[in-house]
Amino acid sequence: AQTVTQSQPEMSVQEAETVTLSCTYDTSENNYYLFWYKQPPSRQMILVIRQEAYKQQNATENRFSVNFQKAAKSFSLKISDSQLGDTAMYFCAFMKRPGNQFYFGTGTSLTVIP
Amino acid sequence: EAGVAQSPRYKIIEKRQSVAFWCNPISGHATLYWYQQILGQGPKLLIQFQNNGVVDDSQLPKDRFSAERLKGVDSTLKIQPAKLEDSAVYLCASSLIQRNTEAFFGQGTRLTVV
């Protein structure tokens, strides 16, 4: 079974500063994908960034980047130049391939302080 | 393209009543997921369909929950009879299987059992 752990229930960051959200996962699979999703109060899950496990290069999407440590089974999200609109719940997710089963962590509530 | 559609957005029922949720995935998405998200927790996978076949329903409480996906498109999730602990947001998501992609989510149905 796959488990995804987010050890930081709540975090806050000053606007324009950088924050890192942690995620670890446990799996015996070799073929998988990792994702960070954002869920604002509207409840709409929005994809932030994804990482393919077979790629060593860390994924980057504008202000969002990941630090993927496959051996350590760690997948942290760095948000640079934090904006008020980044305030939301952030979920780390693991997708097993084949089969596309998705498993989510418990989430980190991020508040960006003006 | 249109997103994942879910209805209703909100539902309040008394315990022991029945309720049904509807989901229309993104056109062409063969994989459909139903998640239960209890307040303050991450989404928990209830059932996953590929076309109209069940891939994973290991966490579906089958004594009260049922789901179907007729013709491999729309899906309904039913709870009968509802319990207080079923109060949650029920999220539907869909994804492609032909290429590596993320899951796209609907806005969810917030169920309150009183």
Side-chain angles (χ1 to χ4, degrees):
Chain A
Q2 279 65 232
T3 58
V4 181
T5 302
Q6 293 179 249
S7 58
Q8 305 152 314
E10 296 181 358
M11 293 192 72
S12 62
V13 62
Q14 291 289 138
E15 192 175 6
E17 296 295 312
T18 296
V19 65
T20 299
L21 279 57
S22 301
C23 172
T24 58
Y25 59 95
D26 185 22
T27 184
S28 57
E29 304 288 335
N30 285 318
N31 189 4
Y32 56 89
Y33 286 72
L34 295 164
F35 303 85
W36 279 97
Y37 278 87
K38 170 185 176 181
Q39 188 180 41
S42 67
R43 304 199 305 260
Q44 181 72 58
M45 282 280 199
I46 302 164
L47 177 69
V48 174
I49 198 166
R50 68 172 166 180
Q51 174 79 40
E52 298 162 30
Y54 62 85
K55 287 189 176 179
Q56 292 186 334
Q57 186 174 6
N58 289 325
T60 299
E61 287 286 343
N62 300 314
R63 299 183 294 109
F64 300 89
S65 61
V66 299
N67 183 2
F68 174 46
Q69 302 289 329
K70 190 171 183 179
K73 296 181 181 175
S74 170
F75 183 60
S76 61
L77 174 70
K78 186 172 82 170
I79 306 174
S80 304
D81 186 25
S82 296
Q83 301 175 359
L84 296 179
D86 295 334
T87 293
M89 283 291 290
Y90 286 81
F91 291 98
C92 179
F94 171 102
M95 183 180 80
K96 188 180 102 170
R97 294 283 293 171
N100 288 15
Q101 285 100 324
F102 260 89
Y103 303 93
F104 285 84
T106 51
T108 295
S109 176
L110 177 67
T111 301
V112 180
I113 302 167
Chain B
E1 68 182 359
V4 177
Q6 287 189 249
S7 67
R9 288 294 309 277
Y10 304 91
K11 190 74 176 179
I12 301 174
I13 62 172
E14 295 182 349
K15 59 184 179 182
R16 291 187 291 275
Q17 285 187 324
S18 62
V19 64
F21 312 127
W22 173 83
C23 173
N24 184 275
I26 293 173
S27 178
H29 282 198
T31 304
L32 185 147
Y33 312 83
W34 281 104
Y35 288 89
Q36 180 193 59
Q37 187 178 18
I38 293 173
L39 184 64
Q41 299 183 16
K44 182 182 85 171
L45 178 67
L46 292 176
I47 189 167
Q48 177 185 346
F49 293 95
Q50 185 165 308
N51 297 308
N52 59 351
V54 175
V55 173
D56 184 351
D57 65 355
S58 57
Q59 297 191 89
L60 186 73
K62 297 180 184 63
D63 57 333
R64 299 184 301 105
F65 286 65
S66 64
E68 60 181 10
R69 190 182 185 195
L70 299 176
K71 301 180 182 179
V73 182
D74 292 10
S75 177
T76 56
L77 176 69
K78 296 179 182 178
I79 308 175
Q80 181 180 10
K83 293 185 175 181
L84 295 177
E85 58 262 35
D86 298 332
S87 294
V89 174
Y90 291 84
L91 295 167
C92 180
S94 68
S95 72
L96 294 166
I97 57 172
Q98 287 87 349
R99 63 183 178 88
N100 301 318
T101 185
E102 70 272 24
F104 295 82
F105 285 80
Q107 289 195 289
T109 297
R110 181 181 295 280
L111 173 68
T112 302
V113 183
V114 298

